[in-house]
Amino acid sequence: MSRAMNILWLASEAFPLIKTGGLADVAGALPRALIKRGHSVRLVLPAYQSVFQRLEAHGIDGKAPPLKPRGTLILDGREVRLWQTRLPGTRVIVWLVDIPEFSRRVGNPYVTAEGTDWPDNHRRFYTLCRAAVELAMGRAGLDWKADLVHANDWQGGMACELLAREDKETTRPPATVFTIHNLAYHGLFDASALQELGLPPGLWHPDYLEFYGQLSFIKGGLVFADRLTTVSPTYAQEVQAPAAGCGLDGLLRARRHHFYGILNGIDAKEWNPKRDVHLVAHYDHRHLEKKDINKRALCSQLRLANEPGTPLLGFIGRMVEQKGLDLLLGTLPEFLARNDIQVVILGSGMADYEEAFQRLAQDYPAQLSVQLGYNEALAHQIEAGVDLFLMPSLFEPCGLNQLYSLRYGTLPLVHAVGGLKDTVIDNDDPAQANGFRFNSATTGALRSTLKRALALYRDHPEAWRARQLNAMGGDYTWERSAAEYERVYEEALSDSALA
């Protein structure tokens, strides 16, 4: 292990306090793995109203971590309150940055009920970054100073820019690492935001924060962090090419020697079929037959026909174009019409997709169940109960559901991009194969791969079981990933010391 570090981990969400996507799972797990490896970690989050509500809910079942005030910061004449708690069920200390725009606003943390960005997102998340810098520099009166700040996605990018402006002659600022979880989200704002936030005019330049006439928060991390990471090796290569680079591929190629792809892990305690509290039957690789009990329970719960010999397919995710939903809509009806499959879908997003899947479910009520929204317990039950998990994403930086599926002996069927390509093996070697992949984002490619998977399920049960055992035997823990992050942290600290 490397030397112990003080690490400030800055994110806009963390499970189980607030979750809209994969960042929350990472923020809820990687700090825990770093603490287990001997580091002192402080997780900084916005004090959303929903976070306070979640902490109160934990209080109902007697598991509430303490919530206590930790003073205030004055930023540009404005009072910013600080609270301290712990990530429920962990030793991770959480510092909550409380401004009314976080704590008095209901709903999604980033967008309105109409699906548009909150108009003051630039002020909200710049304030979060300003507060994080004060905490990291030890100027908040909490008797703790960071050696390194790990910031995430556009919401945390400006912390890296702010730290780069600290006076290094007076006090050495922490080193910085910035992680891209999804490059498609840049944090773009009107040019007027530069002046409104009091940023130096010199930052309005393509080499810094300007992006085709807009202010880009993600460039605050991409340009100014000591080291960059993203969430899989393949995605790190993909975003350096125009097709997936979202206009930032040139910048990422320029920083390629300081840019790393590190696969996400999963919470092996939360996602463990042997102890999962959400399952009706626990199982492991030695008792795979109990997986069928969960399948029957899931079908009964969702009012699907009880057809033990019919493969049950699952999908969990946001209903947006990125997730390959057009491929599913172009492929599934053929198999449903022949009564070849049953399908469970859990998610929400664009109304057009929600309505299209609901219409399909009306046509095949005994074979297709569509559950709109997100339900954590049902997500676990789907992972355990289905035979095949569908992830036809057009792009996928890492993906977590395929890792959950592997852990649960549920074979993932994926488009070979990003972390899906890095984690799902599809070949003729019975000692390696753990799922199914298709290379071209077309309905034809998905259809042929699904046919191949169904044939293996029906005609070669021993080969299917071998893939299940390979899947369950993989190492998907955060301990593996945390060791890789340590090496990146050490490089960042080394560079910072030489600066």
Side-chain angles (χ1 to χ4, degrees), residues 294-368:
N294 293 291
K295 180 178 180 178
R296 291 195 299 271
L298 181 63
C299 287
S300 176
Q301 175 185 345
L302 300 179
R303 299 183 178 177
L304 294 174
N306 182 16
E307 299 179 1
T310 300
L312 180 61
L313 284 56
F315 171 89
I316 302 171
R318 289 178 293 120
M319 290 190 174
V320 294
E321 183 181 12
Q322 175 206 335
K323 298 301 181 180
L325 297 182
D326 292 306
L327 299 180
L328 289 182
L329 288 169
T331 303
L332 293 181
E334 169 189 340
F335 294 88
L336 291 167
R338 292 199 304 261
N339 201 25
D340 281 348
I341 58 173
Q342 293 178 294
V343 185
V344 179
I345 291 175
L346 172 64
S348 62
M350 296 176 61
D352 287 349
Y353 286 125
E354 292 183 357
E355 293 166 5
F357 281 105
Q358 285 180 309
R359 287 194 300 269
L360 192 60
Q362 289 171 1
D363 293 337
Y364 302 98
Q367 294 169 257
L368 173 60

Side-chain angles (χ1 to χ4, degrees), residues 228-247:
L228 306 177
T229 73
T230 192
V231 291
S232 73
T234 292
Y235 190 62
Q237 295 302 313
E238 290 172 346
V239 295
Q240 293 181 55
C246 302

Side-chain angles (χ1 to χ4, degrees), residues 246-258:
C246 302
L248 295 167
D249 50 289
L251 170 56
L252 292 170
R253 285 195 301 275
R255 299 217 61 192
R256 64 188 180 278
H257 298 302
H258 293 158

Side-chain angles (χ1 to χ4, degrees), residues 51 62 66 92 133 362 392 457 477-478:
V51 168
V92 179
V133 167
Q362 289 171 1
Y457 176 87
T477 65
W478 271 110

Side-chain angles (χ1 to χ4, degrees), residues 433-450:
N434 62 9
F436 305 90
R437 299 192 327 203
F438 62 99
N439 294 317
S440 175
T442 64
T443 54
L446 174 56
R447 182 185 298 112
S448 63
T449 304
L450 181 52

